[in-house]
Amino acid sequence: MAYTILRGGRVLDIAAGTAEPADILIGDDTIREIVPPGSAAPEGAIRIDATRRLLHPGLVNAHTHGHGNLAKGMGDRWTLELLLSAAPWITGNRNAEEKYLSTQLGAVEMVLKGCTACYDLSFEWPTPTTEGLRLVGQAYADVGMRAVIAPMVADRSFYEAIPGLHDALPQPLKAPVAELRLAPTDATIAAIRAALRDWSFDRDQVKPAVAPTIPHHCSDAFILGCAGLAREFGVGLHSHVGESKVQAITGIRVYGRTQTAHLDALGVLGPDFTVAHGVWLDNDDMARLGDHGASVAHNPGSNMRLGSGLADTRAMLERRVNLGIGTDGANCADNQNMYEAMRLASFVSKVQGPDWRRWLSTREAALAATEGSARALGFGGRIGRLAPGWKADIVMLDLDHPNWLPFNDPVNQLVHTEDGTAVASVMIGGRLVVDNRRVVTVDLERLRDRVAAARDRLAAANADNRRLYDALEPVVGSYCPGLARTPYHVHRYGARAE
Ligand SMILES: [Zn+2]
């Protein structure tokens, strides 16, 4: 066994709220022992100096989109529905190189900002491909980051999925929108099956999942097909549920019940199921998720950026929902900063009512961004904590950085003060991926040049898609808010005005 020892740091125990001086002994990719400072190490152990470092478990991003990283900053005042309308412009026409680059760029940003694993819902049009998913997997493997990669799929376009939207489009827009149609149900299910069957990565590092993107963008047969594949191959299932009010209202119109109640009736909820967002869940929805041991990936930054609303994480925890935290894609986030996501999770909980006992504590936010997210990724009990037997995914924060001066409370400062600027080094599976603020696995100058070239090519390739978006914006931008004015009563603590 190859041994490494991290000497002289303070080891964060989130649950206990402590950060005592200790050394961490790592064998291969796993933490073997946490020992008093200066304890003897096995012969030949590599010694890493962690003096004046706070060691915390790598943050786990429960929801992102690798294809979104070339689209950061491309929009401003977008609802979720405008973002979906903009997708062909901001994420369309990707070649193989760009699929890899976009994902790698996000992975680099995440590791530099203390995140060591993510759940990536990756999109290819009109259907996922084994080669496209292999490129995405390779991007994470090359950075040295852990990832769950779920092809994000549907068998209905956005314009087919929202009742009345297609009819509301002026005649000249109907033909170009018809071209955005997705592949037939069976073709996409077959494509996912092929990718799952041929998965070549070490599943401890890069593993697959399946993401029927939004329930009503999928026929029931399609959702059942995805769930069947997830069961057959023992992988996770992830879907955007109750993200926007338009979605919640559409669920009722299409199903005659909430999206969650419908998914429950289809029999697809379970411990491997993750709801992304869950802003518009009612108490019954949350109870169903909690009873099935399912997870919610809470994306407070994206939920505010897109005006989707404020998710009630306390109500979720009360119903035993496993809570994870994510950034969402850079096409609607517009960064990949899990410290910010944790901080916003805390703040979003605190603005919802005066009863401070119901607010998310920093401890709860930090546990959600580590162990909770890890459980959603299917890495529960293996990543997200610094303890013997857990993977050596360790972030080293510089305690001489102003974020940590003075050192008052490790968990409060991790969640409310740290913003990623104190990240000094990052280890994933016992391997240093960031060493003294430098990513060691990727040539950043080369990445910069390739990204700049990709950006220029895509701007030209998607010029027509941009014009299409400009034409769609006034229609979608008034039809969907109109739909969202429909009263929708969510009975729960702090009920919002309707
Ligand atoms: Zn998403």
Side-chain angles (χ1 to χ4, degrees):
M1 192 178 295
Y3 285 104
T4 303
I5 188 155
L6 299 185
R7 290 245 191 242
R10 299 174 73 132
V11 180
L12 180 65
D13 181 332
I14 296 168
T18 58
E20 299 301 325
D23 294 349
I24 300 181
L25 178 67
I26 296 150
D28 296 333
D29 67 347
T30 300
I31 297 172
R32 303 294 164 180
E33 273 187 282
I34 296 181
V35 294
S39 298
E43 182 104 23
I46 296 167
R47 181 181 182 283
I48 294 178
D49 184 15
T51 308
R52 297 289 302 152
R53 298 283 186 255
L54 176 71
L55 310 180
H56 75 74
L59 303 177
V60 181
N61 190 347
H63 186 81
T64 187
H65 301 284
H67 60 272
N69 293 295
L70 294 176
K72 63 172 69 103
M74 286 179 76
D76 176 15
R77 297 194 296 169
W78 278 347
T79 61
L80 172 67
E81 289 70 33
L82 288 174
L83 173 73
L84 294 174
S85 307
W89 158 33
I90 66 175
T91 53
N93 279 310
R94 296 290 177 80
N95 65 27
E97 156 100 347
E98 290 147 359
K99 288 172 191 171
Y100 175 89
L101 274 183
S102 185
T103 306
Q104 186 174 61
L105 182 60
V108 164
E109 180 178 351
M110 282 188 267
V111 295
L112 279 169
K113 296 177 181 172
C115 173
T116 54
C118 74
Y119 209 140
D120 179 349
L121 280 67
S122 180
F123 184 67
E124 284 182 272
W125 188 85
T127 186
T129 64
T130 298
E131 175 61 6
L133 291 164
R134 192 193 63 75
L135 288 164
V136 167
Q138 197 60 50
Y140 287 109
D142 288 348
V143 172
M145 188 175 165
R146 265 182 238 286
V148 179
I149 297 164
M152 184 168 78
V153 288
D155 61 352
R156 291 179 189 145
S157 77
F158 168 60
Y159 302 93
E160 295 166 317
I162 304 286
L165 176 58
H166 189 265
D167 292 342
L169 295 175
Q171 200 57 37
L173 286 177
K174 287 186 176 163
V177 156
E179 294 194 9
L180 301 174
R181 207 169 283 139
L182 290 142
T185 310
D186 294 347
T188 298
I189 296 291
I192 303 168
R193 170 181 290 282
L196 294 174
R197 196 189 49 216
D198 298 341
W199 198 258
S200 58
F201 297 96
D202 171 3
R203 286 168 193 246
D204 260 6
Q205 186 182 25
V206 177
K207 66 178 174 178
V210 185
T213 181
I214 297 169
H216 55 268
H217 289 218
C218 306
S219 63
D220 284 352
F222 187 83
I223 293 174
L224 290 169
C226 290
L229 286 174
R231 249 193 312 273
E232 181 183 339
F233 289 91
V235 302
L237 203 59
H238 196 135
S239 189
H240 300 82
V241 178
E243 176 174 357
S244 70
K245 190 175 172 189
V246 169
Q247 254 186 30
I249 287 165
T250 302
I252 299 285
R253 290 210 179 162
V254 172
Y255 300 129
R257 52 189 166 194
T258 66
Q259 294 172 311
T260 307
H262 187 67
L263 293 170
D264 195 9
L266 289 179
V268 305
L269 302 183
D272 297 324
F273 190 88
T274 298
V275 159
H277 302 280
V279 176
W280 292 87
L281 300 178
D282 64 20
N283 286 344
D284 176 63
D285 294 333
M286 294 183 202
R288 288 173 193 271
L289 295 173
D291 290 349
H292 284 286
S295 300
V296 168
H298 174 42
N299 305 296
S302 159
N303 293 343
M304 290 193 283
R305 156 85 155 81
L306 299 175
S308 301
L310 309 175
D312 190 346
T313 50
R314 173 60 62 208
M316 293 175 193
L317 291 175
E318 282 175 344
R319 288 161 185 79
R320 296 175 292 116
V321 175
N322 174 53
L323 184 66
I325 293 177
T327 57
D328 209 348
N331 45 336
C332 59
D334 295 56
N335 64 26
Q336 299 290 290
N337 190 336
M338 277 298 296
Y339 295 104
E340 183 189 88
M342 257 195 309
R343 187 173 194 254
L344 292 178
S346 166
F347 287 6
V348 157
S349 162
K350 288 166 169 93
V351 298
Q352 293 188 56
D355 183 357
W356 59 271
R357 292 171 196 84
R358 300 188 60 86
W359 296 354
L360 212 58
S361 66
T362 55
R363 176 178 168 278
E364 288 171 314
L367 285 172
T370 52
E371 293 185 41
S373 290
R375 216 174 110 192
L377 267 66
F379 284 120
R382 291 189 288 156
I383 66 172
R385 190 190 297 187
L386 301 185
W390 293 59
K391 297 285 186 191
D393 294 3
I394 304 172
V395 177
M396 303 172 218
L397 295 177
D398 179 3
L399 289 174
D400 291 329
H401 187 281
N403 286 351
W404 295 92
L405 302 176
F407 185 94
N408 285 321
D409 180 280
V411 178
N412 287 343
Q413 276 169 272
L414 182 76
V415 176
H416 284 165
T417 313
E418 183 53 53
D419 52 6
T421 52
V423 173
S425 298
V426 177
M427 173 179 275
I428 303 176
R431 174 190 184 204
L432 272 184
V433 172
V434 178
D435 188 12
N436 279 315
R437 304 178 193 278
R438 202 174 57 83
V439 178
V440 296
T441 46
V442 175
D443 179 343
L444 278 192
E445 278 187 29
R446 182 151 176 272
L447 178 63
R448 177 196 67 192
D449 294 346
R450 291 168 78 189
V451 163
R455 189 237 164 255
D456 291 348
R457 194 198 75 80
L458 285 168
N462 287 318
D464 284 349
N465 286 342
R466 180 172 194 164
R467 276 188 287 277
L468 175 61
Y469 173 76
D470 288 341
L472 285 166
E473 186 185 77
V475 188
V476 175
S478 54
Y479 183 84
C480 289
L483 199 58
R485 272 191 282 277
T486 311
Y488 185 81
H489 298 290
V490 175
H491 299 289
R492 61 183 192 199
Y493 163 80
R496 65 204 68 217
E498 297 288 354

